[in-house]
Amino acid sequence: MARDAGPGAGPGAGTEVGARGKWWPLVAITLGNFMLIMDVTIVNTALPEIARDLDASFTSLQWVMDIYALALAALLMAAGSAADLFGRRRLYLLGLAVFALSSLACGLAPDPGLLIAARALQGVGAAAMFATNTPLLMATYTGRDRGVAFGVWGGTSGAAAAVGPVLGGLLTEGLDWRAIFLVNLPLTVFAGWLTLRTVGESTGRAGGRVDAAGVVLFTGFAGALTYGLIRGGEEGWGDTGTTLSLASAGLALVGFVLVERRLKQPMFDLGLLRSPAFVALMVAAVVLQASAFPYLTYVAMWLQSVLGMSPIEAGLAVTPLAVAALVVGVIGGKLLSHLPPRVPVSGGLLLVGSGALLNAALVDGDAGWSALAPGLAVAGLGVGLATPVLVSAALGLVPGERAGMASGAVNTSRQFGYALGIAVLGTVFAARVRSVFTDGAAAAGSAPETAAGAPDPEAAGHAAEAISGGHAADVIAAAPPGPARHAVERLAGDAFVAGIDRVCLISGVVAVAAALLVFAVVRDQRDQRGQRDGARPASGPAGRAPGAPGAPGAPGAGETQSAGVAGTARVAGAAGSAGAAGGAGAAGAAGGAGGAGGAGGIGSAGAAGSPGAAGAAGGVVGAAGPGGVAPAGA
């Protein structure tokens, strides 16, 4: 039964509501989750229009995509611990407010710099929303209602990832690229109003604290590393700014390790890294996001700026990945729970790598949008196979009291993987486009029929930068009519495809290598955590297990919440359920018969006494991209 704060109720109030109104809290929470995941993918199809309208460079477009995921990754675990301390509903509402204001700022941004700053603020709001989604659902619903709630939540997350590119195309083509951000305003207002009326407040374990030093140092590390990688691709690796940025990232990482080792309640327990299998899963989370999604940014730009497709058509062209991931999650949820974790994780990475390599092989200068479909579909199968199992596999490798921290770490790794992928692959893409275009321009300059219209080396370099930033049509239009223009048009297409080919090749090789690593290192650990925690015999009235859920609105006796947890982990003896939040998947054990489930990193734990509930509810894919974020997401 849902707990409802009721109209006008103060924080912490909770009343039982009838069956007709108990799902309104689910609407309020899933709406916020839908928006934050959609905002990863909705931008892709608008990038060429943003580039033209704001005269944005390729580097600026990288930051428009990257800064959102970077802020989300850097603050996710900290937001989870802050929510436990200060109130989850309170932080969720604050996240909605920040998300709304930053979306307005994005929609009104007059230049790339302000758009990037507003996107960073959006990521801050998204982190607060993402970290509180699942804890609020855990506190609001119990029993079968909880399984239904998580199933719906995971399904809408997958839908957000799939709908994002198409909706972005519709809004960009029908209205303006600014509409992709302004559409968030009425949605956040409605979600906030509904949250105030229907969602009760809940907090975590008393005596917790926010690891402020860890947050600052990890954010500094992630930001400096990403900036250094992007600047290195633009200014060169010997550039002073690049060197200083990468050195700062190293110092921040060392500082983070030293701080986390000293704290009694660290944001991340470094002891978890003593497990090679856990490290392999962290690597898998980074590589999955970095290999499956960043190259779609350049694909969307190619479809529009080179092939001349509309934003709507470009959005539809890249949906095979999201649709395939969603289908696998829905159909295979129960089946995945019965496999050793290394099989779906390594198999999924292998498919993601194969899909990327297929794109590298099929997409050439003469290819159309249909050449993408096979590779994207194969990669989508891999995303749907690997993503739901990542968190539950990590939970099987750590003690029960570290389950929430482990899930938060995996989800942070996924977001950071997307940001890192944009930075690294973007640098590779731009360098490849420049190399192919300038070499081709030099060759055209030596040919009699095109020599008059061939750009000089400096002009060719500027043209290559414009092409990689989505301005291919402008470069072609600036060339003299006749053979020279046709040569530039062909060269621009070849250069763009060469860039896509290179990033797909790297993505594929890295994903296959990660698949082999996971298969070699990760073993079937599903029962190990239960062995470490010890089987607790049922006790108390009617055989109630120690750690069974407590009173509504409060953690159960056996419920643990770690600092930096973007969610809740419950271990309830032989009849317990285990859930991991922060947009994380969850593994359930219901009387020893529950299935492990998760979807796009977003899944539901099986309730005690509901055999297989986790597999059924968590079998809905929740992220077909970055973030879950898949997109998702993303």
Side-chain angles (χ1 to χ4, degrees):
M1 183 68 71
R3 292 185 301 103
D4 186 294
T15 59
E16 297 294 327
V17 296
R20 190 167 52 179
K22 69 180 179 180
W23 298 117
W24 284 115
L26 175 62
V27 174
I29 295 166
T30 54
L31 185 56
N33 192 57
F34 183 90
M35 284 187 292
L36 75 89
I37 290 177
M38 185 176 66
D39 263 52
V40 178
T41 60
I42 199 172
V43 179
N44 281 4
T45 47
L47 286 177
E49 292 295 327
I50 293 173
R52 280 192 287 271
D53 192 29
L54 300 184
D55 193 25
S57 67
F58 177 72
T59 299
S60 295
L61 295 181
Q62 278 184 284
W63 279 112
V64 168
M65 294 295 297
D66 224 359
I67 197 69
Y68 180 82
L70 193 60
L72 182 55
L75 299 175
L76 182 57
M77 288 195 291
S81 57
D84 286 347
L85 194 59
F86 302 115
R88 293 150 182 168
R89 186 182 78 155
R90 184 177 290 114
L91 195 69
Y92 180 64
L93 288 168
L94 179 61
L96 283 171
V98 171
F99 195 81
L101 292 174
S102 56
S103 295
L104 177 62
C106 286
L108 300 177
D111 57 61
L114 288 178
L115 177 58
I116 292 168
R119 282 283 283 173
L121 196 58
Q122 251 196 333
V124 174
M129 294 156 62
F130 200 10
T132 51
N133 272 193
T134 307
L136 285 172
L137 288 178
M138 292 283 289
T140 303
Y141 296 101
T142 59
R144 291 185 179 275
D145 286 348
R146 181 179 291 174
V148 172
F150 274 99
V152 171
W153 185 56
T156 56
S157 300
V163 166
V166 180
L167 181 59
L170 283 169
L171 292 173
T172 300
E173 187 173 342
L175 297 171
D176 187 79
W177 67 264
R178 299 178 186 275
I180 67 174
F181 299 112
L182 297 179
V183 72
N184 291 329
L185 297 180
L187 297 178
T188 50
V189 169
F190 178 68
W193 174 79
L194 199 58
T195 299
L196 284 170
R197 291 180 62 86
T198 66
V199 180
E201 184 61 280
S202 66
T203 55
R205 184 176 54 188
R209 60 184 294 274
V210 177
D211 179 8
V215 172
V216 170
L217 289 168
F218 181 76
T219 304
F221 158 69
L225 177 61
T226 305
Y227 177 79
L229 291 171
I230 292 177
R231 184 180 177 91
E234 182 183 20
E235 302 293 340
W237 300 105
D239 174 69
T240 302
T242 301
T243 303
L244 289 176
S245 182
L246 295 177
S248 298
L251 290 174
L253 180 60
V254 172
F256 176 75
V257 171
L258 293 176
V259 167
E260 298 305 284
R261 289 183 63 183
R262 291 174 177 269
L263 292 179
K264 292 182 178 179
Q265 293 183 350
M267 183 172 73
F268 178 67
D269 183 359
L270 298 174
L272 295 177
L273 299 180
R274 295 192 185 101
S275 166
F278 185 81
V279 173
L281 290 175
M282 294 274 284
V283 171
V286 171
V287 171
L288 180 67
Q289 298 300 118
S291 297
F293 307 111
Y295 72 83
L296 296 183
T297 302
Y298 320 118
V299 165
M301 293 169 64
W302 171 64
L303 292 171
Q304 294 180 69
S305 65
V306 176
L307 298 188
M309 295 178 69
S310 70
I312 296 176
E313 292 170 335
L316 290 171
V318 298
T319 54
L321 189 150
V323 172
L326 184 62
V327 170
V328 170
V330 171
I331 296 177
K334 280 188 176 182
L335 298 176
L336 295 180
S337 66
H338 300 296
L339 295 174
R342 69 170 179 165
V343 173
V345 174
S346 60
L349 283 167
L350 188 61
L351 286 171
V352 166
S354 299
L357 293 174
L358 201 56
N359 282 325
L362 295 180
V363 176
D364 56 30
D366 297 318
W369 67 269
S370 58
L372 293 166
L376 292 179
V378 171
L381 295 176
V383 170
L385 191 63
T387 306
V389 185
L390 270 173
V391 173
S392 59
L395 293 178
L397 294 167
V398 301
E401 66 272 12
R402 288 290 182 263
M405 183 178 289
S407 68
V410 170
N411 281 284
T412 296
S413 297
R414 291 171 58 200
Q415 301 300 331
F416 185 56
Y418 180 74
L420 199 61
I422 288 286
V424 174
L425 296 179
T427 297
V428 171
F429 172 79
R432 182 62 175 162
V433 170
R434 183 184 183 92
S435 173
V436 172
F437 189 85
T438 53
D439 290 349
S446 62
E449 66 275 13
T450 56
D456 59 63
E458 183 177 353
H462 291 307
E465 182 179 351
I467 290 168
S468 62
H471 299 282
D474 297 333
V475 172
I476 294 168
R485 178 172 294 180
H486 290 305
V488 170
E489 182 178 9
R490 177 70 184 189
L491 188 55
D494 289 344
F496 219 107
V497 167
I500 293 175
D501 176 82
R502 183 59 56 87
V503 299
C504 286
L505 182 63
I506 293 173
S507 297
V509 170
V510 171
V512 170
L516 297 176
L517 173 68
V518 170
F519 192 80
V521 174
V522 179
R523 293 291 184 263
D524 188 359
Q525 302 283 347
R526 287 178 294 179
D527 299 324
Q528 285 198 9
R529 193 176 71 182
Q531 294 171 0
R532 279 195 302 269
D533 295 338
R536 301 188 183 102
S539 63
R544 178 174 176 175
E559 184 166 308
T560 63
Q561 290 172 308
S562 307
V565 178
T568 304
R570 172 171 297 173
V571 181
S577 61
I602 303 172
S604 159
S610 302
V620 184
V621 78
V629 160

